[in-house]
Each structure stands twice: as structure tokens, then as C-alpha cells.
Amino acid sequence: MKKRIVVALGGNAILTTDASAKAQQEALVHTAHYLADFIEAGHELIISHGNGPQVGNLLLQQQLGATEKNPAMPLDTAVAMTQGSIGYWLENALVDELKKRDITKNAATILTQVVVSASDPAFQAPSKPIGPFLSEEEMLEEKKQTTATYVEDAGRGFRKVVPSPNPIDIVEYPVIQQLVENGIITIAGGGGGIPVIIKDGVYHGVEAVIDKDFASEKIAALVHADMLVILTGVDHVSINFNQPNQAELNKVTVAEMEHYIQQNQFAPGSMLPKVQAAIAFIKENTTGKAVITSLENIKNLLEEETGTIITA
């Protein structure tokens, strides 16, 4: 039976150790090979994606080339720029993959604005890492040229952190819904969306990065998706991770996942926001399903419903 599915890709699924356009396009060709299974199975598809590595690199490039007459663009504009570039690559990769399967489909990228609250406490406590990992020496050199905040991240080095407010609304969701209803593969909410606040009835971009899983959940709820699929590096969410009694979660309920959250089973900044986004989607659409799994497990998800599947 045809389902409307929102798939959330991580920015690291696009960017490898090689930050060149060619390498990212090649990574997306690999990604499109798996995503095309949703289309071949007859489903409607909306794709969102992260952009943390890409927007961070873009900001660094702009910073290095900025002059008084040619200043660097602000963060909200950089998010829009990476929405466009990643969407362009992903559109072409998907359409080309589908042609190999004798499937004719159009794809479109929607520059997506996401409304946040100007009073969100996140603006007082930057926490969202963006950009590349830096050594301590590189970080200290960067701090000489910027007022940005840097933190040590997962033992892999230092990264810039920016505010990460919660999404309230998706400005373009009616357009996204119209596109998918007309059979067009829609790429939306890239990088968590362009963060905007409403002031005097007008949208204003702000310096922030919205978590792409929370933005994807908001899109999925607003367009009445049947399923939200959050892709990560593992086939299943696990409890007691990296311990002798580690156990994979298969079919679980919202209540069970909330219980595991209370036990601090999921790492903040890693698996926890994915689980929280999945729970939020089910609470807004009690007949839907949320799935957390890997890109490589998509075929098994479609054929055997394997992965961590969360229902009401």
C-alpha cells in the first residue's frame, strides 16, 4: 500500500573526508541507490538532510575570503546556500538512479524556512556543533578571528557551536504537500531549515541551526506522513550500548522509549534527539510509524520491517 514517507538523512551521509563537490556528489549517488527503493516500492517520498559539515565548511571558506566590500554571508543565508547545493546534487542522483530502473520521476528542492521563537532559551546557550573538527591549536587560531563558541566534541576535536532552537512551524509546508501529492520527489528542510523568527508579521533570518531530525518531524506531521524514517549509522537503536548486555530494539512503543530516556539510555547530541523526534511524530500522528535505522537497511525495512520501529 502506498505510504507518504519522510526520510531524514544526516549531513555526514553526504560529506566524507573529502569535502570537494565531486566527492559529495559521489556520496549522494551511493545514497540515491538506497533511497530509490522507496520510489520503486510505490511510495511518496520527502527527503530532508543535515548540513552541519557543509555549512561549517562554507562559513570557513567565506571567512577566509571576506573583505569589507565583500563580507561573509550570515548563517541563515549559508544554510539556504547549502540547501540549494545539496538539493541540486541529490535531485540529479535520484533521477539518474531511477532512470536505471526505468522509472520516470521528477524531483524538486524547496528552500525551506522554519519558524522558531525569538525567546527560545537555546539562543542563550549555543550547543549545536557545525563544521569540521579542529585540533586545539587550530581552534585557538580560529578564536583570534571570531567571537564564536567552540567545544570539544566526542573526543574527536573542537567544533564551533551555535544556538539550536526548537522548530515551531514550516513556512513552505503547503508547497511541499502539493508537490508530493502530484508525484514529485521533494527535498525539503535541508540542514534543519532556514531558521526564521516572525517580527511585525515579517520573517527574519536568525543565526542558528535547527536540528534536522526535529525539523523533519515537524514536516512529517504537517504533511500527514504515514512514516518518518530517521537514518543513522546503525540498523537498530540499542539499550545498554557498548556493554555486555547491549540489546537491539526492534518494535517498541512510545511509552517504552520514554522509559529508556528516563534511564539515560540514549546519548545527548547523538541518538537522543533522533528518539525524541520519533516520539514527537507519533504523538502528533498516532496512526503513523517512526523508524530509526541505517541507509543500508532500507530494503530490509521495506520487505521485512526491520529496524527500530516505534508506534503508539
Side-chain angles (χ1 to χ4, degrees):
M1 187 173 73
K2 181 170 75 173
K3 292 184 175 68
R4 180 169 298 172
I5 300 174
V6 173
V7 176
L9 284 174
N12 290 307
I14 304 161
L15 179 62
T16 60
T17 53
D18 183 347
S20 69
K22 181 180 179 182
Q24 293 185 73
Q25 286 171 293
E26 288 173 353
L28 283 169
V29 168
H30 173 78
T31 298
H33 175 74
Y34 292 98
L35 293 179
D37 288 343
F38 287 111
I39 301 300
E40 192 166 31
H43 301 303
E44 298 175 341
L45 186 61
I46 299 167
I47 306 165
S48 65
H49 60 80
N51 73 341
Q54 292 83 1
V55 79
N57 287 343
L58 177 59
L59 291 171
L60 283 176
Q61 291 163 1
Q62 292 198 71
Q63 180 183 318
L64 290 170
T67 65
E68 187 176 347
K69 292 185 177 180
N70 187 27
M73 294 293 104
L75 181 54
D76 59 307
T77 301
V79 171
M81 293 164 74
T82 53
Q83 278 191 3
S85 60
I86 295 170
Y88 154 59
W89 296 330
L90 183 52
E91 280 182 37
N92 288 340
L94 269 169
V95 170
D96 289 346
E97 174 62 30
L98 291 170
K99 283 179 182 175
K100 295 175 186 176
R101 306 186 190 197
D102 294 322
I103 299 171
T104 301
K105 276 279 184 180
N106 291 318
T109 299
I110 298 298
L111 289 182
T112 312
Q113 300 175 90
V114 178
V115 180
V116 300
S117 170
S119 60
D120 192 303
F123 286 108
Q124 306 305 317
S127 63
K128 183 70 174 176
I130 63 171
F133 290 92
L134 304 174
S135 68
E136 186 172 6
E137 292 75 19
E138 290 171 326
M139 180 271 294
L140 291 172
E141 189 63 32
E142 287 291 327
K143 288 192 77 170
K144 293 177 183 178
Q145 307 173 52
T146 177
T147 58
T149 301
Y150 291 84
V151 298
E152 195 276 331
D153 186 5
R156 292 185 287 172
F158 292 84
R159 294 179 80 189
K160 178 180 177 179
V161 290
V162 298
S164 184
N166 286 321
I168 296 172
D169 197 9
I170 308 294
V171 177
E172 289 81 10
Y173 91 84
V175 180
I176 297 168
Q177 187 160 298
Q178 284 183 10
L179 286 170
V180 76
E181 285 174 353
N182 283 278
I184 297 170
I185 302 166
T186 306
I187 302 163
I194 303 162
V196 296
I197 60 172
I198 302 173
K199 186 176 180 181
D200 299 326
V202 178
Y203 296 118
H204 296 270
V206 290
E207 292 274 311
V209 170
I210 300 164
D211 186 284
K212 72 100 176 44
D213 295 320
F214 291 130
S216 302
E217 181 279 320
K218 189 61 66 177
I219 291 172
L222 288 169
V223 302
H224 308 292
D226 301 294
M227 186 183 293
L228 170 64
V229 179
I230 299 175
L231 297 179
T232 186
V234 292
D235 293 350
H236 297 83
V237 180
S238 294
I239 55 173
N240 306 317
F241 186 67
N242 272 345
Q243 298 176 36
N245 59 340
Q246 176 175 323
E248 293 181 344
L249 300 177
N250 294 293
K251 292 180 170 63
V252 288
T253 65
V254 164
E256 288 172 313
M257 294 304 273
E258 289 179 329
H259 177 67
Y260 293 136
I261 289 174
Q262 291 174 354
Q263 294 180 335
N264 297 316
Q265 288 283 356
F266 311 121
S270 178
M271 191 59 75
L272 179 59
K274 300 181 192 307
V275 172
Q276 290 173 324
I279 290 171
F281 172 66
I282 298 302
K283 286 187 172 181
E284 292 194 71
N285 181 3
T286 55
T287 61
K289 292 180 180 178
V291 182
I292 304 174
T293 192
S294 68
L295 182 70
E296 292 76 13
N297 194 53
I298 286 174
K299 188 173 286 293
N300 292 330
L301 167 65
L302 290 169
E303 293 177 355
E304 303 169 20
E305 285 210 332
T306 62
T308 297
I309 301 173
I310 306 165
T311 60

